[in-house]
Amino acid sequence: MQKKQHLILLIIYFLTLCVNAQETNSAGKVSLLTTQKEFRVSDEIFLDFDVKDSKNFNLYCSNSYGSSMIYPDKNDGKVTFRIPTFLSKKEDF
C-alpha cells in the first residue's frame, strides 16, 4: 500500500512540475506592425513588432540549412527583426 501512495505522490509531483514549467502567454503584449505579407526572393526583410513590456525577444528561424536565432533592434516599444539574406534568398543548384 505504501508503494502505491509513493507512486501517486510522484505522479502528482511530476504533473505539478509540468504545469509550473509552462510559460505564460504573451498574447496582447506583442503585435505585428509589418503589413507586408509577401516578399520577393533575396529582398531584405524587416519585421516590426509593437512590444508592451521590456522582455527580451528573439526570433527563431529554421530551414533546410539549419536553424538561426535572430536578435532584434529595440527602439521605444518597437522591436525590429532583420531577416538575413541567407535565409531569404533561394539558391539554384
Side-chain angles (χ1 to χ4, degrees):
M1 188 67 176
Q2 192 173 7
K3 285 185 182 183
K4 187 175 182 179
Q5 288 175 341
H6 286 293
L7 182 61
I8 291 172
L9 286 175
L10 187 62
I11 291 171
I12 291 172
Y13 174 74
F14 281 120
L15 288 174
T16 305
L17 282 177
C18 292
V19 169
N20 288 336
Q22 300 296 318
E23 262 188 60
T24 59
N25 188 358
S26 297
K29 296 181 182 180
V30 178
S31 60
L32 180 64
L33 297 174
T34 304
T35 57
Q36 185 176 355
K37 301 291 182 204
E38 294 181 9
F39 300 90
R40 298 187 72 176
V41 174
S42 296
D43 280 355
E44 199 164 28
I45 300 172
F46 292 94
L47 298 176
D48 297 323
F49 293 87
D50 181 35
V51 180
K52 300 285 188 231
D53 58 14
S54 61
K55 285 185 178 179
N56 291 328
F57 293 96
N58 299 322
L59 184 64
Y60 176 77
C61 295
S62 180
N63 63 16
S64 60
Y65 298 117
S67 302
S68 300
M69 186 69 72
I70 301 173
Y71 299 97
D73 294 324
K74 299 176 188 176
N75 189 9
D76 294 329
K78 180 179 165 187
V79 173
T80 302
F81 292 96
R82 185 185 69 79
I83 309 299
T85 54
F86 74 89
L87 291 174
S88 66
K89 69 180 178 180
K90 180 179 178 182
E91 295 289 333
D92 291 326
F93 295 103

